């Protein structure tokens, strides 16, 4: 099982917004162009979150994974349910579970059924511009994920915006854990319990996932922002790192 840090490993956003992605290129990358691309992504992410994923209602009620509230969901038919008039508050776990059930369904379906033609074209244009600006970082990451059957993503961000990021960055229907409230060691423990008797490899760029991997005795492969990763990372390299430990 490959456990990926999502932020600044598979998906670039913060480093575009603050210009740090372009810094190692010593002037050959236009920093302002990266910042503008990052702002476009922020706008798209917030729009999709608020329009289709109840984010205005549940922003303060982050969950670590999509089915963490399954025990509160009674399976009610929600086809005619009015989410704007059900009196939702943080004390009602059942109503929160309803929202997360719909979020899970929309996440599995993807965005092509909910975005209109104009929004889809804009989304595609921003993706292609960003992939070009980053020398294929996004498409390379997507290609590597497609080579393996099971990939698990761990994000330090809130769950719902992270789900939307995955959809917008074309990393569809992947298992995601949010360490926002619980930390990455707890997420790694859940992943280990979910996939018993399995070998793991962690891939990321931060100290927290590195330390969590070490605590689990899992190999850790660091992704840095210098021009050789992504692209440049291959499954052969990942397997070599894994074999050193196992």
């Amino acid at each position: 099982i490959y456990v990926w840090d999502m932020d600044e490993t598979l998906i670039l956003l913060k480093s575009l917004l603050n210009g740090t992605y372009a810094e190692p290129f010593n002037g050959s990358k236009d920093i302002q162009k990266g910042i503008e691309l990052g702002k476009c992504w922020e706008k798209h992410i917030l729009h999709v979150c608020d329009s289709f994923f109840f984010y205005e209602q549940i922003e303060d009620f982050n969950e670590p994974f999509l089915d963490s509230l399954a025990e509160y969901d009674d399976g009610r038919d929600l086809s005619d349910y009015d989410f704007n008039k059900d009196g939702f508050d943080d004390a009602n776990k059942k109503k929160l579970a309803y929202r997360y059930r719909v979020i899970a369904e929309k996440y599995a379906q993807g965005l092509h059924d909910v975005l209109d033609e104009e929004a889809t074209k804009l989304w595609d244009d921003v993706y292609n511009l960003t992939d070009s600006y980053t020398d294929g970082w996004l498409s390379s990451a997507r290609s590597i994920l497609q080579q393996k059957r099971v990939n698990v993503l761990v994000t330090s961000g809130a769950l719902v915006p992270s789900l939307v990021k995955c959809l917008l960055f074309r990393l569809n229907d992947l298992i995601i854990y949010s360490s926002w409230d619980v930390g990455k060691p707890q997420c790694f423990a859940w992943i280990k319990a979910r996939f018993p008797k399995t070998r793991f490899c962690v891939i990321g760029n931060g100290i927290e996932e590195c330390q969590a991997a070490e605590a689990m005795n899992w190999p850790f492969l660091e992704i840095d922002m210098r021009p050789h990763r992504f692209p440049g990372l291959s499954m052969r390299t990942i397997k070599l790192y894994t074999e050193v430990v196992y």
Side-chain angles (χ1 to χ4, degrees):
I1 303 293
Y2 294 93
V3 181
W4 298 83
D5 175 44
M6 191 180 88
D7 315 289
E8 302 306 312
T9 298
L10 295 172
I11 291 175
L12 299 177
L13 182 57
K14 183 178 179 180
S15 62
L16 294 176
L17 285 165
N18 63 21
T20 56
Y21 172 80
E23 287 177 358
F25 291 86
N26 299 317
S28 63
K29 294 284 185 185
D30 184 340
I31 292 178
Q32 189 59 39
K33 181 178 180 180
I35 292 171
E36 292 303 317
L37 287 169
K39 288 179 179 178
C40 284
W41 281 118
E42 271 195 324
K43 182 179 178 180
H44 289 317
I45 291 163
L46 289 173
H47 169 69
V48 174
C49 282
D50 290 341
S51 299
F52 306 108
F53 286 81
F54 305 112
Y55 195 53
E56 287 184 309
Q57 295 182 359
I58 67 171
E59 182 176 1
D60 296 329
F61 315 124
N62 185 57
E63 291 295 321
F65 49 92
L66 271 175
D67 56 354
S68 61
L69 293 171
E71 63 182 296
Y72 300 101
D73 191 339
D74 60 8
R76 173 177 174 172
D77 182 1
L78 301 177
S79 55
D80 296 320
Y81 189 85
D82 191 339
F83 286 97
N84 295 315
K85 296 181 180 180
D86 67 344
F88 168 70
D89 59 54
D90 61 333
N92 196 314
K93 294 290 187 181
K94 182 168 69 174
K95 293 176 182 178
L96 184 58
Y98 288 165
R99 284 160 172 77
Y100 270 96
R101 192 209 312 171
V102 173
I103 287 168
E105 291 170 352
K106 290 184 177 181
Y107 178 61
Q109 292 167 358
L111 295 179
H112 284 94
D113 291 337
V114 297
L115 296 182
D116 60 27
E117 185 176 344
E118 181 180 357
T120 299
K121 183 182 185 307
L122 187 59
W123 165 30
D124 287 340
D125 288 345
V126 174
Y127 181 94
N128 292 330
L129 285 170
T130 306
D131 199 43
S132 176
Y133 177 77
T134 60
D135 302 317
W137 185 297
L138 304 183
S139 56
S140 296
R142 185 180 180 215
S143 176
I144 285 182
L145 289 181
Q146 290 174 336
Q147 294 177 45
K148 301 306 297 178
R149 179 177 297 179
V150 180
N151 297 282
V152 182
L153 277 54
V154 179
T155 175
S156 57
L159 182 62
V160 170
S162 298
L163 295 170
V164 171
K165 286 179 187 177
C166 276
L167 292 175
L168 287 171
F169 282 84
R170 302 181 182 177
L171 305 177
N172 293 41
D173 202 19
L174 295 167
I175 302 167
I176 302 180
Y177 286 82
S178 167
S179 66
W180 179 274
D181 299 303
V182 299
K184 289 182 179 174
Q186 175 61 74
C187 290
F188 285 16
W190 281 329
I191 294 167
K192 183 177 181 179
R194 183 169 183 165
F195 300 99
K197 299 180 180 179
T198 304
R199 301 197 303 181
F200 299 88
C201 179
V202 180
I203 306 164
N205 75 322
I207 188 64
E208 187 182 4
E209 57 264 23
C210 177
Q211 292 174 340
E214 289 177 353
M216 303 292 286
N217 292 319
W218 295 350
F220 175 75
L221 176 57
E222 182 180 6
I223 300 295
D224 62 42
M225 299 305 291
R226 287 173 291 180
H228 68 280
R229 306 194 190 279
F230 288 114
L233 184 66
S234 67
M235 284 309 305
R236 181 176 181 274
T237 302
I238 295 173
K239 288 176 181 177
L240 286 174
Y241 270 80
T242 306
E243 289 168 1
V244 169
V245 174
Y246 292 108

